[in-house]
Amino acid sequence: MKKDIHPDYHMIKVVMTDGTEYETRSTWGKKGDVLKLQIDPNNHPAWTGVQRLLNAGGQVGKFKDRFQGLNISTK
């Protein structure tokens, strides 16, 4: 293997969305850094099977507001 081409592999702390913490080895950040997750297996629909609407009508409403004068049929 070539020398000095691999990133530093060190311990970091990961904080899940529910506040639970664990330590793992990673190349992210530097030794002792804390990685706070915004999406994790506790709340992501891919793992929970529960779908939530975070911004109901937000993007559709913006689209309609932007193009309302074009008289486009939505059927």
Side-chain angles (χ1 to χ4, degrees), residues 5-35:
I5 65 167
H6 299 287
D8 181 36
Y9 198 54
H10 50 268
M11 296 299 289
I12 65 166
K13 185 187 295 186
V14 178
V15 179
M16 307 280 271
T17 57
D18 65 356
T20 57
E21 302 175 352
Y22 66 92
E23 288 191 4
T24 187
R25 293 183 60 164
S26 175
T27 58
W28 179 86
K30 57 186 179 290
K31 185 176 180 178
D33 279 353
V34 177
L35 176 63

Side-chain angles (χ1 to χ4, degrees), residues 35-74:
L35 176 63
K36 293 183 180 181
L37 300 179
Q38 294 177 351
I39 298 175
D40 63 26
N42 294 328
N43 66 359
H44 194 279
W47 289 286
T48 63
V50 177
Q51 297 290 326
R52 296 185 301 181
L53 293 176
L54 299 177
N55 188 7
Q59 289 193 348
V60 173
K62 287 179 189 178
F63 179 85
K64 287 181 179 179
D65 291 343
R66 180 181 242 176
F67 299 106
Q68 66 186 355
L70 296 178
N71 296 327
I72 298 173
S73 175
T74 58

